[in-house]
Amino acid sequence: MKRVYFDNNATTPVAPEVIEAILPYLREKYGNPSSIHTFGAEAGAAVEKARAQVAALLGAHPDEIIFTSGGTESDSTAILSALESYPAKRHVVTTRVEHPAVRSLCAHLRSRGYRVTEVPVDRQGLLDMDALRAALTGDTAICTVMYANNETGVIFPVEKIAELCRERGILFHTDAVQAVGKVPLNLAKSAIDMLSLSGHKLHAPKGIGALYVRRGVRFAPYLRGGHQERGRRAGTENVPGIVGLGVACDLAAGAMSEEQTRVRAMRDRLETELLRRALDAHLNGHPTQRLPNTTNISFEYVEGEAILLRLDHVGIAASSGSACTSGSLEPSHVLRAMGVPFTMAHGSVRFSLSRFNTMAEVDYVIEHVPPIIAGLRAMSPVGRERLKSVAS
Ligand SMILES: *Cc1c(COP(=O)(O)O)cnc(C)c1O
């Protein structure tokens, strides 16, 4: 059976060049970078090469890069570091649409006595900048705003927000897990203090990520132990993962604009055709202020989960905005924050592409989605009413 993977915001396939680069570090180059013998030196040099590759993609200095276990650890490290570095400040500013890696931590901080302000978004998923400005106070230790949303692809003006924070002496962190490798970054020219990225969202393996910490920013480690990462993140380095992340960043830097143009063309064709061919289909998220690879579409009067199961039957992998937790279908917090009506939020599907997809795959999905939607509508009482009203 044909298999089409359109769920790249959940995780990406590892690039063949990345796999090739990793293998020697699993086979013969297995030294511990902290060891003084040649095995250790070899591994240590590979880690430093990868650090330079990650830094180059971000426009950062290598000593501003700390390797972590992924996006979640980077987010936690950044936020907790700010709170520990400025213990008198008890306020965190964030948004209503963050990834659980930030959202759950902020909820936990609130239960521990911190004040947390979640800035709202509008119907298109754009941030309320007046509310954000009003939220920043003398008591704010850190403002953390994602670069691009994982569910809708909507991009926030984080450079601008970073400047607002800098003017007020507030640390600014961005969860850029979905942006790195898709949008050009140059941290040397920005006011961003800390930035999180994750390997498995840009064709490196799972379980490796990095945190950028600008030179001079106060920092408190999250993991204590050995002296790895210059005392900023203890634990023996994930050398194969780090090597893979370096190569993945190199590949992303090399062909970003050309590849993202191709990805955007595929995404746009998919989106245009689905909105045209499927009845009562609506785009979630701003049409242009968005990542080139993501489209989130609501098919009214049908359940997202039901669509996903049928898509899976024809080999298509996508994702829905609703998570089936403990038997209750909760629409996504992102779509709820945008004020997407319940009937639409339930029927949302996210298609997220990568440079490994093809236009032939787009055509396969365009061919299969409309009949699946029509079939599911015909099964539901509300859907049947709607079909009748359109036919008459
Ligand atoms: C995937 C993702 C994360 C979590 O990264 P992990 O490496 O899986 O821990 C955090 N933020 C965003 C926006 C993501 O998409």
Side-chain angles (χ1 to χ4, degrees), residues 8-11 68-75 97-102 146-151 175-179 182 196-201 205-209 350:
N8 287 278
N9 287 11
T11 197
T68 67
S69 66
T72 303
E73 186 190 323
S74 294
D75 287 342
V97 296
E98 296 297 309
H99 186 274
V102 168
M146 68 200 321
Y147 205 114
N149 188 272
N150 46 300
E151 291 189 25
D175 174 343
V177 169
Q178 291 294 345
K182 296 177 194 145
S196 300
L197 65 91
S198 173
H200 75 102
K201 305 289 174 76
K206 295 159 187 67
I208 184 66
R350 175 188 73 188

Side-chain angles (χ1 to χ4, degrees), residues 105-329:
L105 176 64
C106 287
H108 174 71
L109 290 170
R110 188 177 271 150
S111 80
R112 305 294 303 213
Y114 288 93
R115 202 158 61 80
V116 177
T117 304
E118 288 186 344
V119 177
V121 296
D122 68 12
R123 187 65 177 78
Q124 293 190 308
L126 299 181
L127 207 56
D128 181 340
M129 289 297 284
D130 290 332
L132 182 119
R133 266 188 213 92
L136 302 171
T137 70
D139 191 40
T140 310
I142 185 164
C143 172
T144 175
V145 173
M146 68 200 321
Y147 205 114
N149 188 272
N150 46 300
E151 291 189 25
T152 59
V154 169
I155 294 174
F156 287 152
V158 291
E159 302 289 354
K160 170 91 187 126
I161 299 167
E163 276 160 29
L164 294 175
C165 289
R166 178 170 282 183
E167 286 163 13
R168 293 161 175 77
I170 297 167
L171 283 184
F172 179 74
H173 164 256
T174 184
D175 174 343
V177 169
Q178 291 294 345
V180 173
K182 296 177 194 145
V183 294
L185 294 167
N186 186 3
L187 294 175
K189 287 213 169 75
S190 104
I192 295 169
D193 294 309
M194 293 187 276
L195 175 145
S196 300
L197 65 91
S198 173
H200 75 102
K201 305 289 174 76
L202 78 150
H203 307 291
K206 295 159 187 67
I208 184 66
L211 175 65
Y212 158 88
V213 181
R214 174 181 299 286
R215 281 179 183 171
V217 164
R218 281 196 218 171
F219 183 79
Y222 178 53
L223 291 178
R224 289 161 203 282
H227 291 105
Q228 294 90 355
E229 300 296 285
R230 301 198 301 142
R232 295 178 298 178
R233 200 275 188 182
T236 302
E237 298 87 341
N238 171 2
V239 178
I242 289 170
V243 168
L245 179 60
V247 172
C249 287
D250 221 28
L251 292 171
M256 189 185 307
S257 74
E258 183 191 313
E259 267 163 358
Q260 294 307 315
T261 303
R262 200 174 64 81
V263 168
R264 184 188 299 276
M266 291 192 287
R267 190 277 311 270
D268 286 350
R269 173 166 161 76
L270 175 71
E271 184 172 288
T272 308
E273 287 302 311
L274 291 184
L275 292 175
R276 193 172 69 80
R277 295 185 196 201
L279 181 65
D280 294 325
H282 309 272
L283 176 67
N284 293 313
H286 194 275
T288 56
Q289 197 64 32
R290 200 158 44 123
L291 292 175
N293 79 316
T294 309
T295 184
N296 186 312
I297 299 176
S298 276
F299 301 97
E300 257 184 299
Y301 318 112
V302 269
E303 290 290 342
E305 304 273 315
I307 303 170
L308 293 187
L309 288 176
R310 297 222 169 174
L311 286 175
D312 192 46
H313 281 146
V314 292
I316 299 167
S319 143
S320 94
S322 53
C324 189
T325 43
S326 61
S328 73
L329 276 177

Side-chain angles (χ1 to χ4, degrees), residues 31-106:
N32 183 329
S34 298
S35 304
I36 62 159
H37 45 62
T38 305
F39 286 88
E42 209 168 46
V47 167
E48 293 321 308
K49 181 181 172 194
R51 198 185 308 282
Q53 288 170 317
V54 175
L57 178 64
L58 304 179
H61 300 287
D63 60 15
E64 293 174 317
I65 305 300
I66 303 170
F67 290 114
T68 67
S69 66
T72 303
E73 186 190 323
S74 294
D75 287 342
S76 270
T77 303
I79 295 165
L80 295 174
S81 166
L83 295 176
E84 195 166 329
S85 300
Y86 295 89
K89 297 184 170 188
R90 308 282 296 172
H91 180 224
V92 176
V93 174
T94 183
T95 79
R96 285 205 190 146
V97 296
E98 296 297 309
H99 186 274
V102 168
R103 208 169 122 82
S104 299
L105 176 64
C106 287

